[in-house]
Amino acid sequence: MTLIDLATFAHLGFVAVICVFLIEIVALGALARKYADENIALAIDKIIASICDKFGWK
């Protein structure tokens, strides 16, 4: 994912980069819940919650 991001972010606008980043965080959270350790899923959930709090989303 990181290599694809590095290759494509240079060609995208700022808003598109933020949208892709948020989608990737949500996808990583879902994958972490399914395949990884629970601590990783909790950490990603905290990141998502902090982003939502900054923008006032609940």
Side-chain angles (χ1 to χ4, degrees):
M1 269 171 85
T2 304
L3 293 176
I4 293 170
D5 288 346
L6 289 173
T8 59
F9 280 0
H11 304 289
L12 298 175
F14 179 74
V15 174
V17 170
I18 297 300
C19 291
V20 170
F21 174 73
L22 292 175
I23 291 169
E24 286 178 355
I25 291 293
V26 171
L28 285 174
L31 289 173
R33 270 189 220 87
K34 185 164 177 93
Y35 296 113
D37 185 21
E38 186 66 27
N39 292 331
I40 296 171
L42 289 174
I44 293 174
D45 285 341
K46 286 181 183 178
I47 292 170
I48 293 171
S50 69
I51 290 170
C52 290
D53 288 342
K54 286 183 182 180
F55 288 106
W57 303 332
K58 301 252 175 180

